[in-house]
Amino acid sequence: MRKAVPNPNLKLAVPAHEITIGKFLTQSGTFKDGDLLVNKDGLRIVSQNEEEEPPLIKPSDNQLTLADIDMVKVIGKGSGGIVQLVRHKWTGQFFALKVIQLNIEESMRKQIAQELKINLSTQCPYVVVCYQSFYDNGVISIVLEYMDGGSLADFLKKVKTIPEPYLAAICKQVLIGLMHLHHEKRIIHRDLKPSNILINHRGEVKISDFGVSAIIQSSSGLRDTFTGTCNYMSPERIIGGRHGYLSDIWSLGLAMLECATGQFPYPPRDSFYELLEAVVEQPPPRAPPDHFSEEFCSFISACVQKKAEDRKSAQVLLEHPFLSMYDDLHIDLASYFTTAGSPLATF
Ligand code: ATP
Ligand code: MG
C-alpha cells in the first residue's frame, strides 16, 4: 500500500485545539495520535503502521511538488542554470533542485520532456535519482537525489589529485553506472565529465545529468560559446560523425586521467576551437608510465583511443586488471571523501 502523501495544503478538518493529542511527542516536535500527525506545518493522516518519523520519499512516489520544498541554499552553478539544496517540508529529506532557465521552442521542450521521462525511470544505485521534473514558463526544474559530497570536479579542487587505489574504487562505480545506461537503458550519456560524477559521505559515486545537459547545450547554442570548461567530447562527436556508447568511454578515460594527474589531459589552448582541433588531430593523451602503474596506463589507453572501435565497452572495462589490483587494500571511499577535504554540505 502507498504511504500517506505529505500534503501541505491539507486543511484541518477540526481546529487543532480540539484534537486530543497526547500519545507522544517526537524529536522533531511532531505530535502523533493514531492516524493523525500534527506538526508546525499542519496536520496529516498517516497509516497505522507508519513509524514515528515521516517516511522518506521514494523515486516512484511521484508526490513531489515545488510547493512541498523549501530552498536551503545555492550549491552549484552550471552553464545552463543553478543547483539548489532544498528540503522537503514534511519529511525533512534533502534534494538537489536543478533550475534551468531556457527559452526554447515547443519541439525542444518535447524532446527534453522525453529525456526527463527516461531519467525518471532509471533506478540504479550508480546513477543519480531524478525524482521529478517540471516545466513552467521557460524554466525547467529537476528534483534530484542530493549528493552531499558534490561532484568529482569539486572534490578534485580540494585534493588536487586522486591516488590510484581510490580512483580504481571510484571508476568501478562509474563503470557500473555506465553499463546500466548503455546496456540496460540504451542511453548514451553524452556529457560525462568530473562535474557530472557525484559523490556522497557513504562513499557512493553516481553519474548525473545524462542526456539532458547535452540536449540543452546543443539546442541553445551554448556549445558554440567558449565557457572555459574543458571538453571531454570524443573525436567522432567533434567532427559531427556518428557516435555511440563508446563516445562516453573516451570521456571517462579523459576524466579519470584528469583525476589522476590533477590536470585536464590537453594543454590549455587559446580557444575552444583549437582544443577541439587538438582532440581530432593530435595523438590521444596517455598516462605517464613513470608516474602510474602499468595497469592504470593500460586502462586509460583502453578508453582514450581515437577510433571508437578500438575502445573497450563498459562491460569489458569492468574486468580490467586496474579495477581489481587494489582490492586487497579494502579502500574505504566513505572516509576518504569525508576526510580528504570534500566540501560536504550536510550530514
Ligand atoms: P555544465 O553546466 O557545464 O555541465 P556542471 O555539470 O558543473 O557544468 P550543473 O550540472 O548545473 O553544472 O551542476 C553544477 C554543480 O552543482 C555541480 O558541479 C555540483 O557541484 C552541484 N550539483 C549538481 N547536481 C548535484 C546533486 N544532485 N547533488 C549535489 N550537488 C549537485
Ligand atoms: Mg552537471
Side-chain angles (χ1 to χ4, degrees):
M1 203 185 79
R2 202 165 168 274
K3 293 244 175 165
V5 180
N7 181 356
N9 299 321
L10 186 68
K11 297 278 179 291
L12 286 167
V14 277
H17 64 268
E18 286 181 19
I19 300 171
T20 321
I21 295 165
K23 286 277 158 65
F24 55 77
L25 174 64
T26 68
Q27 275 183 344
S28 58
T30 302
F31 293 100
K32 188 174 173 244
D33 183 17
D35 285 355
L36 291 178
L37 193 136
V38 186
N39 66 13
K40 64 178 171 46
D41 294 319
L43 169 94
R44 72 185 176 107
I45 297 163
V46 292
S47 63
Q48 284 293 347
N49 56 2
E50 193 175 328
E51 292 298 324
E52 153 185 353
E53 291 300 327
L56 289 185
I57 289 164
K58 295 188 222 77
S60 56
D61 280 354
N62 197 25
Q63 63 182 26
L64 271 169
T65 69
L66 289 177
D68 288 336
I69 52 183
D70 284 327
M71 145 88 168
V72 180
K73 62 175 177 177
V74 173
I75 45 175
K77 280 193 174 73
S79 50
I82 59 161
V83 179
Q84 303 170 354
L85 173 64
V86 296
R87 195 167 193 184
H88 191 257
K89 284 178 180 158
W90 285 94
T91 62
Q93 198 172 337
F94 287 107
F95 295 97
L97 180 74
K98 188 164 185 166
V99 183
I100 307 162
Q101 203 114 33
L102 216 57
N103 284 316
I104 47 170
E105 301 162 11
E106 176 67 17
S107 62
M108 233 19 255
R109 205 184 308 168
K110 277 193 185 138
Q111 198 176 344
I112 291 170
Q114 186 59 31
E115 284 282 339
L116 292 173
K117 243 182 242 158
I118 299 171
N119 266 358
L120 282 170
S121 67
T122 297
Q123 279 181 48
C124 162
Y126 303 96
V127 172
V128 170
V129 177
C130 176
Y131 284 83
Q132 200 64 261
S133 60
F134 313 95
Y135 178 84
D136 183 37
N137 209 13
V139 179
I140 301 172
S141 308
I142 311 173
V143 183
L144 299 163
E145 174 179 11
Y146 173 54
M147 295 292 284
D148 60 10
S151 73
L152 220 45
D154 301 326
F155 186 65
L156 208 52
K157 280 189 201 130
K158 298 271 170 181
V159 296
K160 309 295 178 218
T161 60
I162 300 179
E164 275 191 35
Y166 297 105
L167 207 47
I170 291 169
C171 196
K172 219 181 275 183
Q173 299 191 51
V174 178
L175 277 171
I176 303 173
L178 266 187
M179 209 171 81
H180 173 82
L181 296 181
H182 291 172
H183 299 284
E184 283 174 42
K185 290 282 162 191
R186 306 262 158 211
I187 300 172
I188 308 168
H189 187 294
R190 292 193 172 89
D191 197 20
L192 193 65
K193 55 185 177 182
S195 72
N196 283 337
I197 299 172
L198 305 182
I199 61 176
N200 69 19
H201 72 279
R202 288 193 290 272
E204 294 166 344
V205 180
K206 307 191 184 204
I207 300 175
S208 80
D209 277 352
F210 50 93
V212 183
S213 48
I215 285 190
I216 289 166
Q217 276 181 31
S218 58
S219 69
S220 59
L222 285 171
R223 200 172 46 174
D224 296 334
T225 318
F226 183 50
T227 55
T229 48
C230 300
N231 202 293
Y232 300 80
M233 234 188 256
S234 63
E236 68 272 18
R237 274 197 77 192
I238 292 172
I239 59 169
R242 270 176 62 86
H243 63 274
Y245 305 121
L246 293 166
S247 193
D248 286 344
I249 300 296
W250 168 278
S251 313
L252 171 76
L254 289 192
M256 290 302 123
L257 188 52
E258 178 173 348
C259 291
T261 63
Q263 281 174 343
F264 183 67
Y266 289 89
R269 311 270 161 172
D270 289 338
S271 77
F272 186 52
Y273 296 102
E274 281 178 43
L275 168 65
L276 297 185
E277 201 174 79
V279 175
V280 175
E281 287 178 1
Q282 304 289 310
R286 294 180 328 144
D290 47 335
H291 284 87
F292 297 99
S293 70
E294 208 177 299
E295 288 85 349
F296 180 70
C297 298
S298 144
F299 180 87
I300 294 299
S301 87
C303 301
V304 193
Q305 287 290 329
K306 286 177 72 182
K307 280 192 193 153
E309 62 268 29
D310 293 339
R311 295 172 211 146
K312 301 275 187 287
S313 70
Q315 196 165 16
V316 171
L317 283 170
L318 266 169
E319 303 295 319
H320 193 282
F322 168 62
L323 297 180
S324 49
M325 68 186 289
Y326 299 109
D327 278 357
D328 291 350
L329 298 180
H330 302 291
I331 288 299
D332 178 1
L333 281 182
S335 63
Y336 177 57
F337 290 157
T338 47
T339 56
S342 169
L344 297 167
T346 45
F347 283 104

